[in-house]
Amino acid sequence: STQSTWGRCKKDDLKRLAKATGATLAVSMASLEADGEEAFDPSLLGGAEQVAEQRFADDECILVQGCQRHTQASIILRGANSFMLDEMERSVHDALCALKRTLESSTVVAGGGCVETALSIHLENFACTLGSREQQAIAEFGEALLVVPKQLAINAALDSLDLVAKLRVAHHRAQLPDAKDKTLEQFGLDLVEGGIRNCVEAGVLEPALSKIKSLQFATEAAISILRIDDMIRLNEKPPPEDPRAGY
């Protein structure tokens, strides 16, 4: 068998390598059974199909491929400059965080402003059943939810009023008691073609947990602002007088 030795490795890298290969980190080579002499237990070793050194630009990397446990992976990003690499790293990090949150949530919902529009229509219909001042609060809450699809359309340089109006019509039809096409409740914005589409079929999905948390945090922030009774404002300091004034 071939043995490879690496020195001055980061502790985090050693932990990842041990987890991927099924190895166990050995803090010391000393053995109590051998009267303090150096010894090594073969059961602590891990396994991999190939360990090779490969050069990427000016950096030399050691690639460990075919590990026993496929729980670790490395992503190598290459770009023209450091600014592009930083942007690529942020994009990959956001994608991995979205995937992680999706796996934690185990449920997904349609994206493209679908949830906000459907909830806005539902609250608007529910507000019409109330004959008190709560009707205005619920209606305004539902209207505030439409900020999300409107902003999505604006970010894509599209007509937000036209797209949101079409989306509201689709979700209104989906929530009718005698609705014939229930797939309309999955419709969201299509920012590429400038229309609306079935986001579930298009693969535009969002973690349900993230959607619930964002709605909860936004509601709590709005309630906290409404609870403020008084506002203390500091008066601006008057400008210093010009000592040469009057001369």
Side-chain angles (χ1 to χ4, degrees):
S1 61
T2 304
Q3 294 182 353
S4 300
T5 305
W6 295 294
R8 298 185 181 276
C9 293
K10 295 182 180 180
K11 190 174 182 180
D12 293 339
D13 294 339
L14 288 177
K15 289 182 178 179
R16 294 191 184 97
L17 186 61
K19 188 175 181 180
T21 58
T24 303
L25 292 179
V27 180
S28 175
M29 299 292 290
S31 175
L32 296 177
E33 298 179 356
D35 298 331
E37 296 182 0
E38 291 187 353
F40 184 78
D41 186 2
S43 62
L44 301 179
L45 289 174
E49 296 179 359
Q50 182 181 7
V51 179
E53 184 177 355
Q54 187 172 349
R55 188 179 185 87
F56 295 96
D58 297 333
D59 299 326
E60 295 181 354
C61 301
I62 297 177
L63 303 183
V64 183
Q65 300 176 346
C67 299
Q68 292 182 354
R69 301 177 182 176
H70 299 282
T71 58
Q72 302 288 328
S74 299
I75 301 177
I76 300 177
L77 303 177
R78 303 184 66 179
N81 48 54
S82 59
F83 300 102
M84 184 177 295
L85 283 175
D86 292 340
E87 188 64 29
M88 293 168 61
E89 182 180 0
R90 283 191 293 268
S91 300
V92 172
H93 180 267
D94 294 343
L96 292 177
C97 288
L99 179 60
K100 174 176 177 291
R101 184 57 61 90
T102 303
L103 295 176
E104 292 175 351
S105 176
S106 71
T107 54
V108 293
V109 295
C114 173
V115 175
E116 290 81 6
T117 307
L119 185 57
S120 175
I121 296 296
H122 177 75
L123 292 177
E124 183 179 343
N125 296 333
F126 175 70
C128 295
T129 62
L130 302 177
S132 59
R133 63 179 62 187
E134 284 82 2
Q135 179 187 118
Q136 184 69 20
I138 296 175
E140 291 295 334
F141 187 92
E143 183 68 22
L145 292 174
L146 295 178
V147 172
V148 174
K150 288 180 181 178
Q151 192 61 44
L152 290 175
I154 292 174
N155 292 344
L158 299 174
D159 188 354
S160 61
L161 296 178
D162 184 54
L163 289 179
V164 173
K166 294 180 180 178
L167 194 58
R168 282 171 54 85
V169 170
H171 283 277
H172 175 72
R173 293 177 179 175
Q175 296 183 20
L176 292 176
D178 55 346
K180 298 180 180 180
D181 190 2
K182 286 295 184 180
T183 59
L184 291 175
E185 63 185 10
Q186 301 174 353
F187 270 54
L189 297 179
D190 184 359
L191 301 180
V192 178
E193 300 295 336
I196 61 176
R197 63 180 174 180
N198 191 324
C199 289
V200 176
E201 295 180 355
V204 182
L205 305 172
E206 297 183 42
L209 182 62
S210 299
K211 186 65 65 176
I212 294 174
K213 291 295 184 181
S214 61
L215 290 174
Q216 289 178 346
F217 292 155
T219 305
E220 292 174 0
I223 293 175
S224 300
I225 295 175
L226 293 175
R227 285 177 177 173
I228 299 176
D229 296 330
D230 300 323
M231 181 174 60
I232 301 176
R233 178 179 297 176
L234 298 177
N235 294 329
E236 297 182 0
K237 294 183 179 180
E241 298 182 358
D242 189 356
R244 296 172 298 178
Y247 293 94

